[in-house]
Structures are given as C-alpha cells and as structure tokens.
C-alpha cells in the first residue's frame, strides 16, 4: 500500500460490496423461502446449491481467520452446526476485527509499530504447565512398527514369556516356560521365576538399622542416556557391583492398544541411567536379568504393581528381590503414599508431576522431561534407607505379625509374582476387561432391541479398529460417543457427525465403514436379544457360578477362632443355655436356678459373653461383686432387691444413734414437708431439747424433724431450711397463744377506731418497714423517659383563624 489514495479506494470498494451484500441478505430473509421451496423445485435446487457454496465459503473464511491465533475455528458442516457453533464464529470475527483495528491504528500512526525488531523482541516465556500440556500428546510416527517383533493385538492365545535365557535359575528355562492346563482347561504359562522368588532370601542389610547414605546433589551430577547396545553392556557392568539399585518406568498408552514402555530409569548410589526402550533391539535388554533376577542385589521400586507387568510384556525382564516403598509407606501408616510425597518428605525435592502424563515417545527427549525421569530414581535409595530404619524401629518382634520388615517384604514378593495375561474380548456376552458388559452395568441406560444391537456392534467395531491400527480405545471413540450413537442410531453422515462430539481423526476417516455397521445392526435389532432379558440371564449365570465355586478348606491354625470360642448352632435346634446361680452382670439381684460357675470357668464364660453381647466393660467399684460361691462356705449377705443403691461414701459414713438425720442427705431427690403443728394441746410444739422419736411411721407423708442436729448436719442446706421452717412455725404459734391470752382475760377493753385521726388511705405513704411495700412495682416505660426528647411540634396556621399573642 503506497499511498493514502490507494487505501481510500480499496476501502470504498469493500464498503460498497458489504452494503450490497447486506441489502441482498435482508431482502432474501424477508421472503417466504419455505413457500418457494414447496412451489418451485428449481428454486429448491438453486437454494440448496447456494447454501452449500456459502457454507463452504464461511468455513474457509473462519479457518483462514483463525490461523495464527489462539481461537479455534468451528466446524461448519450444516445449518444446525452454524447455530450450535455461533459463539465460536463470533469469537473468530471478534479476533479478526481486533487485528484489523490494531493494524489500522498502526497504519494511521495512532500507536507505535507492534512488531519490534528481532534484537529488541523479548524471548517467549513458556510456563511449566503450558510446556507440559504441549508435550502431553503429539502426533508422532508409531515406534512399535519398527520393532523386531511388531506387537500383534489380534492374538487370542495365552501370552508366552519372552525369555531367551534364565540367569540365577533354580528351575531350568524350558521347564519354566512349558505350557500347562489351567482349571478351566485352557493352555497357559507359569511365572518363569516363581520358584526363584518364593525361595529367595533378602540380603542381611535389609534387617539392620544403619545411617542413611546421603544422595549426591542433583544439580552437580549428570545421568547417562543409554540408546545403544554398547551402552547397555557398560551399564550392566556397573550394576553388577552395586548392592541396591532403584528402578522406574515411563509408560505410554495413548497411541497404543496395550501400551509401550517408553523409558526405563536405573540408579545406584553413584550413577543414574535413562534407557531408551523404544529401540528396535529392545528385547536385547534381557541381559539385565543378570542383575534384575539376582537375589543378592536389592531392587527398590515404588508402586511396582504395573511395572512388573510392563517389564514382562515388553522387555522380558523379571525381578527377584523386590522392595516396594509403597507397601512400606502403607505399613508405616503415612498420610499419603505417592512417590512425590516421599521425595518431599525425605529428600525435600519437589517432583514436577505434570510430566507424568507426557508423551514419552518424544525423541530427542526434552531437558525438563529428562530431569523429571531421572529424579524418580535418584533419591529413591535414600528414601529406602530412611523407611527401612523406621520399619525396624516400629517393629514389635515379640508379637506375631509385628515385624514390619517381614510384612513389607512379603507384600513385595506378591507384587513380583504378578504375571502378564492378554486381555480377551467376548463379542457375544461382552466379557473381558475391555468388553461392553462392564460399560453397560455402569451406565443407567435401558436400550431397545435396535439400540442394544447397535451398541454391541459399534463397541465391537471400536475394539477391532483399535487392535488393527494399534490405537487406544479412547482415541478411536470415547465411551460417551458409543452411547450417543447407540441412542440416536444415525444412518446418514451428517447425523453421525452431529452425535459424535468429540470426533477423532480415525473415526472421521472411516465414517462410511461405521455407518454400514450401524445400518446392519439396526436391521438385525428386532430379531436380536432384549437388553432386560440379557442382563437377567447374565446375573443368573454369575450367581450359579458363585454357588458352584469350590469352598476353600480352612487352614489349621493354633489360634482359636470365634467359632471355636462361641459354639454355632443349626437352625431349629433347641439350645439350653448354661445358667449360673448368681448373675455375673447383676450380682445376687437376679438369682439363677442352677449352680454358680466355678472360678476356673469364669474367664471362659466372660469371654463368651463379651463375644455374644457387645457390652462395655464394667469396671466401676459400685458394680463390683465378690467372685465367690455358696458351696465354698462363704456367706453372701442378702440384699433387698427393692432397696435403693447407696453411694460408697454414704454407706461407710458413721451415723450416731442419738442424732436426728435429714432425709434429703441420705435418701433421694424426693421432697418432704415439715408438719405444721396442730392447735391441740397434744400436738403442741416441743421445746428445743426434744429427743429422737423411738419409732417413725413410714406410711405418713409428713415427718417431724427435730431442731437439734449434729454439728455437721446443721451446716447442710437441708438442715438450715428445716430450721427456718421450725422458727416460722414457732413464731406463728406464739402469736396464736398471745391472741388466745388476750381474748380470755377480758380485762383490757378494745379501743374504738379513731376515724378522724386515721391516716388517709387514698394518699397513704408506703411503709418502709413493710416487706411487701418495700418492693417497687415494675414500670416498663421507665427507661424510655431517659431518652433525649425530640423537638416540640410546631403549630401550623389554620386558614380562617389567627393566633392570639399574650402580652
């Protein structure tokens, strides 16, 4: 663009075309296209042709506009896809307009040039997470196609071990890899090193506590990348001189049906190696069995549950003398059991676990991924030293099963004895680890006959396609897409693509093949099995298999089991329980009908009761009963079952015979009233020197209490309350006697009431001596009077009247 005039002419021409296109679009939208389509077939063909041309043009424009930006261009396949992806179209247009606006501002000089010179441009900053996401999955050539023995995913026979030689063998190689018949009558192979693992003994250093050996700094040391046979041989020579080695694997299963061991890390106390296991000569790594199968060299791995399987399947390697730090962390009851947590605890190293799911097929290996792979084994031997010492410290060798070292080694042997077996697939019943039956029982879906037929056919096509092209099942077709296709049963390409989001590249390329499978399965559906009936039949077959399964015989054990301690009884059998003369739980309160349990049988009977009845242990002294029997000759004092239990302090406190007791002190919470004295001479109140009555009638509701109490009783609240009541009754009696004396004498005449000098009743002043008047009445508005007063209400002038002012 040389001058402003040329830019102006181009701008005017583009604006005119846009205005014309917009007007034409508005006129077409105002017409009744549905009517024209139904009345004129030629117009229908022209409209469809223009729709396809415009849709293709829009698709190419959005794709070109999204190039070089972070916005992804939407897939515009039909009119419905335009409506579904309208937000994506708007994002592309907004991004394009922002670029155009920036370019115009730069051209007109409003802002400075946005693209700096190469010298002044800063280096691109790539975050750790962005780098890990970029290296997670890449479209790379399949390295397994170059192996000397290309993986065959179509094999249905048992997996035969890859061993060529067997170092440190107790059983010869040919005998170890000879086929045997399983319990189901199928041919299979034993674990080649089963005998060697079971008979192996660990080095004595495993059972001895010693100071952990410090690891070398990761920054000041380097690891050796081994990608040649000569490098493997040199590494093997160093490994033979080691006493402990650490091993770890990096596995890739995104673009492979069964997976690939892509990297192997090995470390000693002094050196680290990273071995490339994707070389065509990968099976030559079997020479490492000279170290891996040597029981005198300890192999330390973390979470080797799958590593053992992968080593057998891909490399033909077996491990004898395994120490799994995962089981050590479980035995030590750590809060977490991951390798990253152990590295942070013992080595203070933060493992970059975002590379755990990276694509380990990348070659050359990036520096970040190389360092991550090396760190997994660089610190592992130091972690083993610390965990071994802790296991020895926390072991209880005097108790059975208390030796934590033996427990960890036993679990590690079980892991080392794991054997790789091929995954089978039953097309008709859907059995197998990757079968459709496991998918179906986990999804709350009920298909019709046609849908059920399409579901099984699509699932089978997915499995066959993944085996044929050595891809993972999720790469070919995710599980949700399988259910979507079975639900919609599309028979046309647009419908298939519409229900297959996200759609993979292999599926898009072979969509025609998949449509043929769907049509055939849908036509076969009405005569096929019903999903309900099929699932019921499968459940019934599983139940019959479990019922016919052989019951394992119990192993003899020196420890008594629960069934040996508590006898079991058959249904309908009449059982008479052995009863003791005196209950061990309630004591002599509940009397038995038979003799008491002998002392030597008491412990066994108590154990049976604890196992049969989940009662808490009764250790309180108030429930303790003497463990004696009437036959021994020791008399057991009889106790009234209806009497109240007394506390030990009350029971042992001496009570004087001459003192009057207070019922509330020794009795319960029941309150008793003090007797009000009658006005008869016989019930006149006694003096303060009254004695305790000889007999007390327990049937009376009221009881007379003497005012003379013991010194310790007088201080109690009950005694003080009783004394107050007695004083009040005595004063009342004195007033009554005074009134009687006054009326009986008749000497003093009653003075007449002087109404003239009597105080006013209406304006009477409260008497301060009167207890009842001393209390002030409650005024709910008293506090409101203390609040600040508001402004006085101003008087407004009323029409027709005037104010009168006072002088």
């Amino acid at each position: 663009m040389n001058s402003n005039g040329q830019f102006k002419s181009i701008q005017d021409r583009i604006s005119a075309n846009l205005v014309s296109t917009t007007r034409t679009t508005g006129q077409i939208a105002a017409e009744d296209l549905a009517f024209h389509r139904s009345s004129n077939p030629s117009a229908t063909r022209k409209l469809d042709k223009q729709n396809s041309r415009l849709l293709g043009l829009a698709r190419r424009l959005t794709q070109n506009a999204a190039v070089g930006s972070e916005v992804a261009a939407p897939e515009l396949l039909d009119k419905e896809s335009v409506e579904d992806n309208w937000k994506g179209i708007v994002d592309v247009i907004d991004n394009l307009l922002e670029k155009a606006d920036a370019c115009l501002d730069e051209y007109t000089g409003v802002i400075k040039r946005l693209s700096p010179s190469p010298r002044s441009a800063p280096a691109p900053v790539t975050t750790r997470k962005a780098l890990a996401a970029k290296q997670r999955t890449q479209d790379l050539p399949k390295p397994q196609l170059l192996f000397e023995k290309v993986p065959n995913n179509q094999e249905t026979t048992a997996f035969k071990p890859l061993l060529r030689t067997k170092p440190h063998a107790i059983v010869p190689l040919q005998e170890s890899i000879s086929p045997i018949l399983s319990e189901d009558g199928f041919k299979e192979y034993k674990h080649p090193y089963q005998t060697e693992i079971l008979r192996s003994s660990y080095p004595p250093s495993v059972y001895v506590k010693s100071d952990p050996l410090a690891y070398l700094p990761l920054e000041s040391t380097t690891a050796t990348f081994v990608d040649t046979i000569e490098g493997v041989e040199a590494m093997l020579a160093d490994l033979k001189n080691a006493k402990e080695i650490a091993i770890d694997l990096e596995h890739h299963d995104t673009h492979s049906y069964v997976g690939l061991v892509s990297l192997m890390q090995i470390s000693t106390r002094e050196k680290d190696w990273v071995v490339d296991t994707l070389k065509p000569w990968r099976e030559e790594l079997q020479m490492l069995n000279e170290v891996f199968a040597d029981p005198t060299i300890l192999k330390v791995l973390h979470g080797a549950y799958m590593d053992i399987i992968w080593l057998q399947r891909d490399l033909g390697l077996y491990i004898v003398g395994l120490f799994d730090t995962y089981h050590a962390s479980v035995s030590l009851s750590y809060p977490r059991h991951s390798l990253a947590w152990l590295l942070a605890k013992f080595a203070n190293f933060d493992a970059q676990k975002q590379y755990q799911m990276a694509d380990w097929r990348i070659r050359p290996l990036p520096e970040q991924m190389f360092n991550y792979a090396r760190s997994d084994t660089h610190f592992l031997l130091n972690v083993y030293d610390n965990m071994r010492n802790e296991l020895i410290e926390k072991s209880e060798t005097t108790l059975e099963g208390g030796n934590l070292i033996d427990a960890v080694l036993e679990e590690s042997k079980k892991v080392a004895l794991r054997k790789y077996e091929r995954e089978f697939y039953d097309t008709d019943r859907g059995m197998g680890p990757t079968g459709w039956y496991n998918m179906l029982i986990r999804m709350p879906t009920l298909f019709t006959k046609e849908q059920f037929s399409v579901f099984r056919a699509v699932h089978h096509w997915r499995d066959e396609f993944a085996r044929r092209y050595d891809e993972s099942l999720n790469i070919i077709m995710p599980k949700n897409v399988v259910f979507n296709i079975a639900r919609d049963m599309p028979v046309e390409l647009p419908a298939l693509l519409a229900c297959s989001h996200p759609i993979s590249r292999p599926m898009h390329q072979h969509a025609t093949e998949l449509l043929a499978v769907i049509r055939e399965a849908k036509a076969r559906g009405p005569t096929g099995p019903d999903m309900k009936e099929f699932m019921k039949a499968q459940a019934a077959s599983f139940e019959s298999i479990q019922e016919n399964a052989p019951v394992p015989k119990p192993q003899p054990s020196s420890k008594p089991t629960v069934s040996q301690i508590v006898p079991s009884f058959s249904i309908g059998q009449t059982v008479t329980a052995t009863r003791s003369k005196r209950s061990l739980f309630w004591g002599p309160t509940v009397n038995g009908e038979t003799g008491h349990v002998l002392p030597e049988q008491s412990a066994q009977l108590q154990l049976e009761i604890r196992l049969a009845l989940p009662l808490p242990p009764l250790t309180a002294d108030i429930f303790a009963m003497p463990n004696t029997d009437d036959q021994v000759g020791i008399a057991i004092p009889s106790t009234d079952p209806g009497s109240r239990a007394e506390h030990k302090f009350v029971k042992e406190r001496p009570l004087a015979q001459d003192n009057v007791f207070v019922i509330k002190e020794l009795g319960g919470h029941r309150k008793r009233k003090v007797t009000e004295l009658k006005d008869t001479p016989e019930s006149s109140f006694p003096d303060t020197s009254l004695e305790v009555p000889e007999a007390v009638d327990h049937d009376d509701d009221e009881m007379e209490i003497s005012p003379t109490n013991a010194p310790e009783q007088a201080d109690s609240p009950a005694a003080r309350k009783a004394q107050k009541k007695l004083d009040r009754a005595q004063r009342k009696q004195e007033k009554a006697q005074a009134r009687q004396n006054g009326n009986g004498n008749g000497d003093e005449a009653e003075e007449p009431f002087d109404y003239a000098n009597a105080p006013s009743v209406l304006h009477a002043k409260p008497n301060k001596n009167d207890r009842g008047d001393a209390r002030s009445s409650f005024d709910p508005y008293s506090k409101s009077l203390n609040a600040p007063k508001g402004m006085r209400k101003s008087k407004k002038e009323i029409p027709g009247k005037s104010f009168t002012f006072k002088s």
Side-chain angles (χ1 to χ4, degrees):
M1 202 171 293
N2 298 328
S3 63
N4 295 334
Q6 294 179 355
F7 175 77
K8 181 65 176 176
S9 61
I10 295 175
Q11 183 182 9
D12 294 340
R13 189 166 62 252
I14 293 176
S15 300
N17 292 333
L18 288 176
V19 170
S20 176
T21 304
T22 304
R23 289 177 178 175
T24 305
T25 304
Q27 293 175 359
I28 294 175
E31 297 293 337
D32 191 355
L33 296 181
F35 173 76
H36 291 292
R37 282 179 175 273
S38 61
S39 61
N40 191 354
S42 61
T44 302
R45 291 192 295 270
K46 292 180 180 179
L47 288 174
D48 292 341
K49 183 177 180 181
Q50 292 298 328
N51 284 341
S52 301
R53 188 181 69 84
L54 292 175
L55 191 63
L57 180 62
R59 182 169 54 251
R60 291 193 299 271
L61 287 175
T62 53
Q63 291 176 354
N64 293 332
V67 172
S69 64
E70 298 179 355
V71 181
E75 290 289 338
L76 304 179
L77 303 176
D78 50 14
K79 183 179 66 175
E80 286 77 11
S81 62
V82 173
E83 296 178 356
D84 296 339
N85 299 316
W86 183 251
K87 185 177 181 301
I89 297 174
V90 173
D91 293 339
V92 173
I93 295 176
D94 288 344
N95 182 67
L96 187 62
L97 292 176
E98 289 177 0
K99 289 182 178 180
D101 187 50
C103 292
L104 290 175
D105 290 341
E106 180 183 347
Y107 174 77
T108 56
V110 176
I111 59 175
K112 295 182 179 180
R113 187 172 296 274
L114 298 179
S115 55
S117 60
R119 293 183 180 181
S120 60
V125 178
T126 305
T127 62
R128 184 182 300 172
K129 291 185 178 180
L131 184 61
K134 181 180 179 181
Q135 298 168 347
R136 185 164 299 164
T137 302
Q138 297 190 7
D139 189 7
L140 301 174
K142 294 183 179 296
Q144 59 265 37
L145 300 179
L146 302 178
F147 293 165
E148 294 178 356
K149 186 178 180 180
V150 179
N152 185 8
N153 300 316
Q154 304 293 339
E155 293 185 4
T156 57
T157 58
F159 175 78
K160 183 179 181 179
L162 304 177
L163 276 179
R164 300 174 183 173
T165 60
K166 187 180 179 183
H168 309 284
I170 298 177
V171 179
L173 174 63
Q174 295 302 324
E175 184 179 349
S176 301
I177 61 175
S178 299
I180 59 174
L181 291 179
S182 62
E183 297 179 356
D184 300 332
F186 297 101
K187 184 176 71 173
E188 64 178 8
Y189 296 88
K190 297 189 304 182
H191 192 292
Y193 276 91
Q194 179 178 354
T195 305
E196 287 76 10
I197 293 174
L198 293 176
R199 296 184 185 180
S200 64
S201 58
Y202 285 86
S205 59
V206 180
Y207 302 92
V208 179
K209 181 180 178 181
S210 59
D211 294 335
L213 298 179
Y215 53 84
L216 298 178
L218 189 66
E219 297 78 10
S220 60
T221 58
T222 57
T224 304
F225 187 73
V226 180
D227 57 352
T228 61
I229 298 181
E230 293 77 15
V232 176
E233 294 174 349
M235 177 185 66
L236 180 60
D238 292 335
L239 293 178
K240 289 181 179 180
N241 299 325
K243 295 181 180 180
E244 306 96 1
I245 62 173
I247 305 172
D248 190 29
L249 301 178
E250 302 300 340
H251 190 263
H252 176 81
D253 55 3
T254 304
H255 293 284
S256 175
Y257 185 79
V258 296
L260 294 170
V261 176
S262 304
L263 216 62
M264 177 168 56
Q265 306 93 271
I266 306 176
S267 295
T268 62
R269 301 282 184 179
E270 298 82 15
K271 293 183 180 180
D272 301 325
W273 293 271
V274 178
V275 184
D276 186 1
T277 57
L278 294 179
K279 292 296 181 180
W281 45 265
R282 62 190 323 220
E283 291 191 15
E284 297 297 331
L285 292 172
Q286 291 187 26
M287 67 178 70
L288 295 178
N289 277 327
E290 297 182 14
V291 175
F292 283 23
D294 189 354
T296 61
I297 300 177
L298 186 69
K299 273 69 68 175
V300 181
L301 287 86
H302 180 82
Y305 186 80
M306 292 304 300
D307 293 347
I308 296 295
I309 298 296
W310 297 336
L311 287 173
Q312 299 174 22
R313 182 196 66 196
D314 292 356
L315 307 177
L317 293 175
Y318 296 84
I319 292 182
V320 181
L322 170 66
F323 185 96
D324 196 336
T325 53
Y326 168 80
H327 291 288
S329 66
V330 172
S331 298
L332 293 172
S333 301
Y334 285 163
R336 299 178 63 181
H337 309 298
S338 64
L339 179 58
W341 190 86
L342 295 178
L343 294 179
K345 174 179 175 61
F346 294 108
N348 196 21
F349 178 78
D350 183 16
Q352 308 300 329
K353 284 301 177 182
Q354 65 267 18
Y355 296 106
Q356 188 173 10
M357 302 303 296
D359 192 346
W360 292 99
R361 303 174 303 161
I362 300 175
R363 299 293 184 273
L365 204 62
E367 182 180 0
Q368 297 87 350
M369 297 174 61
F370 183 83
N371 292 332
Y372 164 78
R374 175 197 175 195
S375 63
D376 281 352
T377 56
H378 181 80
F379 305 96
L380 193 54
L381 292 179
N382 179 263
V383 172
Y384 153 73
D385 291 340
N386 288 277
M387 300 183 77
R388 175 202 59 206
N389 294 341
E390 192 171 351
L391 288 169
I392 295 175
E393 291 175 357
K394 295 184 177 181
S395 295
E396 296 290 342
T397 56
T398 58
L399 301 178
E400 184 177 358
N403 194 330
L404 299 182
I405 286 287
D406 289 341
V408 173
L409 298 182
E410 188 66 25
E411 293 296 328
S412 300
K413 281 188 176 182
K414 293 179 182 179
V415 174
L417 287 171
R418 282 175 48 82
K419 183 181 64 172
Y420 170 69
E421 295 179 355
R422 285 196 177 98
E423 297 178 352
F424 65 93
Y425 180 82
D426 189 350
T427 307
D428 298 330
R429 300 174 56 197
M431 296 293 104
T434 59
W436 51 262
Y437 182 80
N438 292 331
M439 287 178 55
L440 207 57
I441 62 177
R442 288 178 172 86
M443 294 293 293
T445 306
L446 184 60
F447 289 145
T448 62
K449 288 187 176 182
E450 292 83 358
Q451 291 174 338
F452 188 40
S453 178
V454 172
F455 173 78
R456 291 181 293 141
V458 171
H459 192 280
H460 178 63
W461 177 87
R462 168 177 174 252
D463 185 82
E464 285 294 327
F465 193 89
R467 290 175 185 267
R468 187 193 319 160
Y469 293 97
D470 199 10
E471 286 282 356
S472 65
L473 295 173
N474 287 329
I475 287 295
I476 300 301
M477 186 185 299
K479 294 180 180 179
N480 65 305
V481 175
V482 178
F483 281 95
N484 292 341
I485 294 176
R487 183 193 62 230
D488 298 342
M489 295 183 292
V491 293
E492 299 295 337
L493 182 59
L496 175 63
L497 298 179
C499 66
S500 302
H501 293 289
I503 184 170
S504 62
R505 182 183 301 176
M507 179 180 170
H508 193 279
Q509 295 174 352
H510 296 80
T512 306
E513 178 184 348
L514 179 58
L515 283 173
V517 173
I518 296 174
R519 294 191 189 100
E520 183 181 356
K522 186 176 181 180
R524 193 173 57 248
T527 59
D530 183 69
M531 178 179 171
K532 265 188 178 181
E533 300 298 331
F534 180 84
M535 300 300 287
K536 289 181 180 179
Q538 288 290 92
S541 63
F542 290 152
E543 291 179 359
S544 62
I545 291 174
Q546 293 177 358
E547 291 177 358
N548 299 329
V551 180
K553 297 181 180 180
Q555 299 294 333
S557 176
S558 58
K559 298 185 295 183
T561 60
V562 176
S563 60
Q564 295 174 352
I565 297 176
V566 180
S568 59
F569 305 100
S570 60
I571 300 176
Q573 179 182 356
T574 302
V575 182
T576 303
T578 303
R579 301 186 63 182
S580 61
K581 184 177 181 180
R582 188 164 56 86
S583 171
L584 296 178
F585 182 80
W586 299 106
T589 303
V590 179
N591 296 326
E593 298 177 0
T594 59
H596 180 60
V597 182
L598 297 178
E600 56 270 13
Q601 300 176 355
S602 177
Q604 179 68 15
L605 185 58
Q606 290 177 0
L607 178 60
E608 293 180 4
I609 292 176
R610 285 199 301 269
L611 292 176
L613 300 175
L615 297 174
L618 302 176
T619 58
D621 296 336
I622 58 175
F623 292 101
M625 292 296 177
N627 194 9
T628 57
D629 189 75
D630 297 339
Q631 300 176 0
V632 184
I634 302 176
I636 299 177
S638 60
T639 305
D640 184 9
S643 62
R644 294 174 61 94
E646 295 181 350
H647 195 272
K648 183 178 179 181
F649 171 76
V650 178
K651 186 184 298 184
E652 297 180 356
R653 188 177 66 180
L655 188 63
Q657 297 296 332
D658 298 336
N659 295 339
V660 177
F661 64 90
V662 180
I663 297 300
K664 189 173 182 179
E665 255 187 302
L666 302 180
H669 299 283
R670 183 177 179 182
K671 297 182 180 180
R672 296 179 182 268
K673 295 187 289 186
V674 181
T675 307
E676 293 185 2
L677 301 177
K678 300 179 181 179
D679 295 337
T680 59
E682 291 81 9
S683 62
S684 60
F685 197 84
D687 298 333
T688 56
S689 59
L690 291 177
E691 298 180 354
V692 180
E694 296 181 358
V696 179
D697 188 4
H698 294 282
D699 297 334
D700 295 338
D701 294 335
E702 299 175 354
M703 180 174 290
E704 185 179 41
I705 300 177
S706 174
T708 58
N709 296 327
E712 61 274 8
Q713 295 175 351
D715 296 335
S716 62
R720 291 194 296 270
K721 186 175 181 181
Q723 185 65 31
K724 288 181 180 180
K725 289 184 178 181
L726 290 175
D727 295 341
R728 205 160 38 243
Q730 187 175 2
R731 288 195 299 269
K732 188 181 296 184
Q733 183 183 11
E734 291 176 355
K735 290 180 181 180
Q737 290 178 357
R739 284 196 299 269
Q740 291 178 1
N741 295 333
N743 296 332
N745 296 334
D747 298 337
E748 298 179 1
E750 185 177 358
E751 296 181 0
F753 183 77
D754 187 4
Y755 290 95
N757 298 325
S760 175
V761 177
L762 295 177
H763 305 284
K765 296 181 179 180
N767 187 7
K768 297 182 179 181
N769 297 328
D770 191 359
R771 182 179 178 183
D773 298 335
R775 299 179 181 178
S776 59
S777 59
F778 174 72
D779 185 5
Y781 304 102
S782 59
K783 291 187 178 181
S784 62
L785 299 177
N786 299 329
K789 297 181 180 180
M791 184 179 66
R792 294 180 61 184
K793 183 177 181 181
S794 60
K795 294 183 179 182
K796 298 182 179 180
E797 183 177 358
I798 301 174
K801 295 183 180 181
S802 61
F803 288 101
T804 302
F805 300 95
K806 294 180 181 181
S807 58

